[in-house]
Amino acid sequence: VAVVAGAGSGIGRATAVAFARAGSTVLAADIDEATASETVGIIHDLGGQASAIRTDVTEPRSLEAMFAAGEAAYGGIDIAFNNPGLLRGEPLWPDITPETLLRVMAVNLGGVVVGTRLAVPVLRRRGGGAIVNTASMAALFPLTADPIYSATKAGVAMFTRACAPLAEEGIRVNAVLPALVDTPLLAKSG
């Protein structure tokens, strides 16, 4: 059973579909429930099992509800894919509003940190599992046009590395660092 946060489009949708093709049951979570439901429809068309849930990764109670729904519906969770992400869009740095800066930090880094924290007891109940966090190559090679994106993704990469001791409990925590990917998020980048 795989829970995919940010499953409504882009990398999250592609990963949810890949999990289903590999035989996993998927809980597709997204702040946009309609797009999460579209992902579920794609999985059903492939003969897979999936359901959707609206989840705001900046709200701890929403993330708790996501994990609780997965456990209630499927008896447990084996994989948590923390894939929320925002680019800043217009106006460009340094004219970005402080409110947008805080929102990007809350989604890109906060959503991953809290999502990881809340996944741990769920995976412990299952006897172990995997947490995968989406960082970015911008964590390693600064995205000067969008330094807040680079900062949050560098934070995800380091946070993930710091979670390595969870492997002693059978919980693997890894990050993927995609390069530029042609997803709907790209058009919002400015």
Side-chain angles (χ1 to χ4, degrees):
V1 176
V3 174
V4 179
S9 66
I11 292 170
R13 176 175 281 173
T15 303
V17 170
F19 279 139
R21 283 191 171 131
S24 294
T25 298
V26 175
L27 178 59
D30 203 284
I31 196 164
D32 183 344
E33 193 170 8
T35 60
S37 294
E38 289 172 10
T39 299
V40 168
I42 293 167
I43 291 169
H44 287 167
D45 289 347
L46 295 170
Q49 185 176 358
S51 58
I53 186 168
R54 184 189 181 282
T55 304
D56 180 344
V57 300
T58 68
E59 296 291 334
R61 303 299 79 86
S62 186
L63 284 164
E64 287 174 347
M66 175 187 76
F67 286 114
E71 285 189 296
Y74 305 118
I77 295 167
D78 303 293
I79 302 165
F81 182 35
N82 295 308
N83 180 59
L86 289 178
L87 288 163
R88 52 73 185 113
E90 302 286 345
L92 300 177
W93 176 263
D95 299 320
I96 185 172
T97 66
E99 293 79 12
T100 301
L101 284 170
L102 289 171
R103 177 79 180 153
V104 171
M105 287 188 286
V107 171
N108 291 7
L109 182 56
V112 170
V113 171
V114 176
T116 298
R117 159 56 185 89
L118 294 173
V120 170
V122 173
L123 296 176
R124 281 178 177 154
R125 287 191 286 276
R126 197 71 154 180
I131 300 170
V132 180
N133 299 324
T134 300
S136 169
M137 289 301 290
L140 305 177
F141 304 98
L143 187 59
T144 58
D146 193 353
I148 191 61
Y149 185 81
S150 283
T152 59
K153 293 305 184 172
V156 169
M158 187 55 69
F159 169 76
T160 301
R161 291 176 67 189
C163 289
L166 287 168
E168 296 170 11
E169 299 182 50
I171 300 172
R172 295 179 323 276
V173 185
N174 292 288
V176 293
L177 283 73
L180 192 62
V181 178
D182 189 6
T183 69
L185 185 64
L186 186 62
K188 297 175 184 175
S189 71

